Amino acid sequence: MPRHIQTTLLDPTPRAPGGFRSLATATHRGSTTLFASAREVRDDWCPERVPYAYGLHGTPTSLELAARVAQLEGAEHCFITPGGQAAIALVYFAFCGAGDHVLVPQSAYGPNNDLARDLLARLGIAVQTYDPMIGAEIATLIRPNTTLIWCESPGSATMEIQDVPAIAEVARAAGVVLALDNTYASGVFFDAYAHGVDVSIQALTKYIGGHSDLLLGSVSTCSDVHYQALGQARSLLGMAVSPDDCSLALRGLQTLWVRLAQLQASTLQVAHWLKARPEVERVLHPALPDCPGHGVWLRDFTGSTSVFSVVFRPTLAGEALLDFIDRLNLFHLGYSWGGVTSLVAPHFNLNRDVRQYGDRLVRFNIGLEHVDDLIADLEHAFSQADNHGDGQ
Ligand SMILES: *Cc1c(COP(=O)(O)O)cnc(C)c1O
């Protein structure tokens, strides 16, 4: 009996001719992925054992992105996560359990520290913060139950460059996993694995996505043992990613080099211009000597990117500084960075024991606008501040 068209319409067998080749990676959608025979049905997150068991574990689109990020970072393995913060959470779940102790720099991305103080504390994981400039002295903080050390270099907002090789040496001697948040360098300007890191994470949301229109993260490693721990945890946590977002990130990778080159040049120009202003006390840009750890940056990094902070003098602080920010037209106010648009955000009263800049620290992200227009915008906002209170 011929089948009803209702049934025929559901037959997944392709009708279109095969052999299509395009320069774009196809966007493969799928929760269910099909097995060829009953004996092959098996749930396993690991593509080396079962290439496609379930959409959660990977599609050709997400595994393509993972392979390319691994290649970029010089890693053996990479997992794509729903965002950078999810990548951070995955590292904790892979390497920490109740009773364990973790070291996190005070300059870490804020939600990393928040996760530690809130959820991880409830699960019995003790997270201790440390001065990011500690270097080899971190050995004094390691306890018998320390299982994980985080580095983030440069740090968020206060931009300290960490001596990652010195910390890596201590971590290796103590048998502790060293994880690095490598978002700033985007896997391009800092070689995590050559500097002794075990696990490198990125917010792909920033430079790899590159256009402020997606949220994704990555966790990569050279170690087969860490790969198994991360894969197991990612699967159990159900960290699924959208193939559409992965497709956008793959497109972003194609222009990563040219964007970073332009962003580096424009950002250095703006940073040097700001450094020469009388209202500015310090420019916390890794390539400028004001930045804590500048010498380490010169030694370990091959470039700089688009985000940096400015510490203003007390004459342009607090309310006056907020007014200055509001007078900017090309710098938009918002979180995140690494896209094509310039951004600005005040970071007042950060939770830090050291290098606490009070109500004088502002973070800038330089985009792809013409640098002369950005400088003119800053100059205009400064000139209005100078006139302020001059009377009639
Ligand atoms: C933005 C950011 C993250 C978090 O990334 P999301 O994709 O926004 O979750 C993590 N680390 C650093 C250093 C970041 O700047």
Side-chain angles (χ1 to χ4, degrees):
M1 191 185 86
R3 284 186 181 145
H4 294 84
I5 185 69
Q6 176 185 347
T7 303
T8 308
L9 283 172
L10 303 179
D11 175 5
T13 311
R15 270 56 157 193
F20 177 74
R21 293 175 67 210
S22 154
L23 291 169
T25 304
T27 304
H28 289 273
R29 293 193 189 82
S31 51
T32 299
T33 59
L34 302 179
F35 297 92
S37 73
R39 281 172 187 80
E40 289 172 51
V41 177
R42 188 151 68 97
D43 190 19
D44 192 325
W45 63 264
C46 182
E48 284 81 21
R49 292 189 293 256
V50 182
Y52 299 107
Y54 186 48
L56 166 66
H57 308 313
T59 63
T61 314
S62 65
L63 295 183
E64 186 68 33
L65 177 61
R68 285 174 190 256
V69 172
Q71 195 170 37
L72 175 68
E73 295 211 42
E76 291 294 322
H77 310 284
C78 177
F79 295 98
I80 304 300
T81 61
Q85 176 69 359
I88 291 167
L90 175 54
V91 170
Y92 280 115
F93 277 99
F95 301 111
C96 306
D100 288 345
H101 173 249
V102 182
L103 291 164
V104 184
Q106 281 190 6
S107 52
Y109 175 66
N112 182 336
N113 275 319
D114 296 342
L115 172 66
R117 265 190 298 269
D118 183 321
L119 187 64
L120 298 181
R122 277 195 274 141
L123 297 177
I125 299 164
V127 182
Q128 181 183 352
T129 61
Y130 68 89
D131 180 346
M133 301 308 291
I134 195 166
E137 290 293 298
I138 199 157
T140 62
L141 301 181
I142 292 183
R143 304 177 190 168
N145 59 338
T146 306
T147 57
L148 175 67
I149 299 175
W150 274 104
C151 285
E152 184 181 318
S153 182
S156 286
T158 44
M159 303 299 291
E160 295 91 343
I161 316 294
Q162 295 198 260
D163 192 343
V164 172
I167 294 173
E169 208 180 307
V170 171
R172 189 173 309 107
V176 175
V177 174
L178 177 64
L180 171 74
D181 188 330
N182 201 17
T183 301
Y184 174 90
S186 198
V188 173
F189 294 130
F190 182 78
D191 184 342
Y193 299 103
H195 291 97
V197 168
D198 296 310
V199 175
S200 165
I201 77 107
Q202 279 196 59
L204 303 182
T205 307
K206 307 287 167 45
Y207 294 117
I208 308 259
H211 296 76
S212 312
D213 56 2
L214 64 86
L215 285 145
L216 281 176
S218 64
V219 180
S220 58
T221 183
C222 288
S223 148
D224 291 342
V225 173
H226 297 338
Y227 172 59
Q228 296 299 323
L230 289 161
Q232 179 75 3
R234 181 185 178 278
S235 160
L236 293 174
L237 290 166
M239 287 199 177
V241 295
S242 151
D244 297 274
D245 289 346
C246 291
S247 154
L248 288 172
L250 282 159
R251 179 201 286 220
L253 274 174
Q254 296 177 328
T255 56
L256 179 65
W257 233 256
V258 65
R259 282 185 289 108
L260 287 180
Q262 183 59 50
L263 292 174
Q264 171 163 230
S266 296
T267 303
L268 281 167
Q269 220 177 315
V270 175
H272 282 289
W273 185 86
L274 280 165
K275 175 64 186 160
R277 289 291 308 192
E279 300 88 346
V280 168
E281 185 175 288
R282 324 179 65 171
V283 175
L284 303 175
H285 182 297
L288 272 67
D290 283 356
C291 195
H294 168 65
V296 173
W297 178 80
L298 286 173
R299 186 191 69 192
D300 293 348
F301 283 66
T302 55
S304 57
T305 55
S306 69
V307 69
F308 68 100
S309 295
V310 173
V311 182
F312 288 86
R313 292 194 194 280
T315 47
L316 187 61
E319 297 293 324
L321 190 47
L322 295 177
D323 289 341
F324 166 81
I325 291 170
D326 281 338
R327 281 194 297 276
L328 294 165
N329 293 311
L330 288 177
F331 291 85
H332 298 277
L333 275 159
Y335 286 118
S336 204
W337 40 273
V340 299
T341 310
S342 289
L343 298 171
V344 60
H347 286 269
F348 291 179
N349 304 313
L350 290 164
N351 190 12
R352 305 271 204 277
D353 295 336
V354 285
R355 291 176 291 282
Q356 170 53 272
Y357 301 105
D359 58 358
R360 299 189 289 131
L361 188 135
V362 175
R363 187 171 74 178
F364 291 89
N365 172 67
I366 303 303
L368 294 176
E369 302 89 348
H370 197 291
V371 72
D372 292 349
D373 293 331
L374 294 175
I375 287 174
D377 194 34
L378 289 162
E379 186 147 43
H380 173 261
F382 277 128
S383 72
Q384 301 281 311
D386 291 343
N387 295 337
H388 194 75
D390 275 1
Q392 302 302 336

